[in-house]
Amino acid sequence: MKVTELSSGIWSVGMEDKYLRVFRSQSFTEAGMRYNSYLMDTDAGYMVFGSLPERYCGEWLSAIREKAGDKSVTHIVLFGVDSDLKAYAAIKEAYPEITLVCGEKTLYDLVTSGGRSDNTVLVRSGKRLTFGGRELNFRTVTDKRGTPSLYIIDTKTGALFTADTFGSDCALGAARVSDLA
């Protein structure tokens, strides 16, 4: 798995599956899929944004561990897709004190699937979270299929964190501002 620095203190730990043609048994894609996940360094520890499907969790956790080194991974922000739940269980096992940051639907899905989170920060569209010298602005955006997803803006760098994107030619999680309007 390739870890790519996107800007100072922010790395992509996601991956492309150029050969995927059916996504979650519901959507067809001819260009593959970009699974977006990011690692952000803060004054208080690392934050992880998003996750990867279960079949890639081992590589994903290895990339996070390698980049974080001895510094703790304190938060994981989940965008609200079903693959996040298994990845959350894996990262919680690796970092037991991790805090889950998510929307209501993700928390509901986690609890109803038998999972649990002792440390949770619930976010809604318009909420701002300040942590480790960073201020994050959360927005809920509904895509063309009607699926809601969290978009997060780091006000320090202007970085935009998005969930998975269709197509393998997508810039690493980049979105046009017009997509958010």
Side-chain angles (χ1 to χ4, degrees), residues 10-63:
I10 301 174
W11 297 268
S12 169
V13 289
M15 64 164 296
E16 289 183 15
D17 184 342
K18 294 179 182 181
Y19 304 102
L20 183 76
R21 296 296 172 252
V22 180
F23 179 65
R24 296 197 185 116
S25 304
Q26 63 188 4
S27 300
F28 295 94
T29 174
E30 293 184 24
M33 186 70 194
R34 170 85 198 161
Y35 297 105
N36 290 329
S37 183
Y38 314 96
L39 187 63
M40 182 170 70
D41 192 7
T42 75
D43 296 340
Y46 282 96
M47 292 184 89
V48 176
F49 295 82
S51 67
L52 270 62
E54 184 177 15
R55 67 185 175 273
Y56 302 119
C57 274
E59 292 176 72
W60 175 66
L61 282 172
S62 293

Side-chain angles (χ1 to χ4, degrees), residues 134-150:
R134 304 277 188 159
E135 182 179 73
L136 304 174
N137 185 356
F138 292 82
R139 297 282 180 217
T140 301
V141 178
T142 303
D143 67 18
K144 293 176 183 177
R145 297 168 307 194
T147 305
S149 184
L150 283 176

Side-chain angles (χ1 to χ4, degrees), residues 16 20 28 40 43 66 70 82 88 98 144 148 152 164:
E16 289 183 15
L20 183 76
F28 295 94
M40 182 170 70
D43 296 340
E66 182 178 322
D70 292 335
D82 53 0
Y88 172 68
I98 200 164
K144 293 176 183 177
I152 302 140
D164 306 333

Side-chain angles (χ1 to χ4, degrees), residues 24 26 78-85 100-113 120-125 140 146-150:
R24 296 197 185 116
Q26 63 188 4
L78 297 184
F79 295 103
V81 293
D82 53 0
S83 64
D84 283 340
L85 300 179
L100 170 63
V101 179
C102 65
E104 290 174 348
K105 182 180 182 325
T106 301
L107 185 58
Y108 174 81
D109 290 347
L110 177 67
V111 171
T112 58
S113 69
T120 304
V121 175
L122 196 59
V123 293
R124 291 182 175 90
S125 192
T140 301
T147 305
S149 184
L150 283 176

